[in-house]
Amino acid sequence: MLDHIFISVSDIDRSIIFYEQALKPLGIHHVLDYDGEQGPPGHPDLKGFGCNGRVFFWLKAGAVNSPGTHIGFVANSEHDVRAFYRAAIDAGASDNGAAGARLHYDPRYYAANVFDPDGYSLEAVFKSWQHPAG
């Protein structure tokens, strides 16, 4: 299980705004900033996103290395997947697969895929078998 991930972005302010909008439907918020030398050794100027008391997704200004990078975010319902997709597109993402069942994985795998402004591949996914009430 992963605990956190850092990605470098070309325009930190643009990316903060993008991710605040795109991740809001998933209950993920911009919750912590390490500015200047406040950050952990070797990691200054981090912008953290998370939920439920955990910060797990971090942005930092720097050289973008998006090819091959894919980040999947957990959604709690098909509705949340659709809301993520709409919010991300409205925030400037590029389409990489509208919300729908991903039958090649499993008929209960429901996801939406976009590219963020730096070309990172993002997915919101709801797996009904992991959500008994879903």
Side-chain angles (χ1 to χ4, degrees):
M1 179 178 294
L2 294 175
D3 183 70
H4 60 275
I5 186 169
F6 291 19
I7 63 170
S8 296
V9 296
S10 62
D11 182 331
I12 193 75
D13 294 327
R14 176 189 69 188
S15 291
I16 290 169
I17 292 167
F18 171 80
Y19 281 102
E20 285 174 341
Q21 292 176 309
L23 298 178
K24 185 177 180 180
L26 304 178
I28 301 170
H29 303 281
H30 178 195
V31 295
L32 181 63
D33 289 339
Y34 289 127
D35 294 318
E37 294 304 315
Q38 296 174 26
H43 299 296
D45 297 325
L46 296 172
K47 310 302 180 186
F49 290 75
C51 62
N52 302 322
R54 293 188 60 236
V55 183
F56 51 84
F57 181 66
W58 296 89
L59 304 177
K60 64 180 185 171
V64 173
N65 190 14
S66 59
T69 301
H70 176 78
I71 304 166
F73 293 97
V74 174
N76 291 314
S77 68
E78 291 180 6
H79 173 270
D80 290 351
V81 170
R82 291 187 297 272
F84 159 82
Y85 180 80
R86 284 189 307 272
I89 294 295
D90 289 348
S94 301
D95 172 59
N96 189 30
R102 300 300 191 251
L103 300 177
H104 48 279
Y105 296 132
D106 186 284
R108 302 164 297 166
Y109 189 115
Y110 192 89
N113 300 78
V114 299
F115 291 113
D116 87 346
D118 283 312
Y120 289 103
S121 172
L122 308 176
E123 177 178 23
V125 61
F126 173 68
K127 298 175 180 176
S128 62
W129 68 90
Q130 294 177 340
H131 298 269

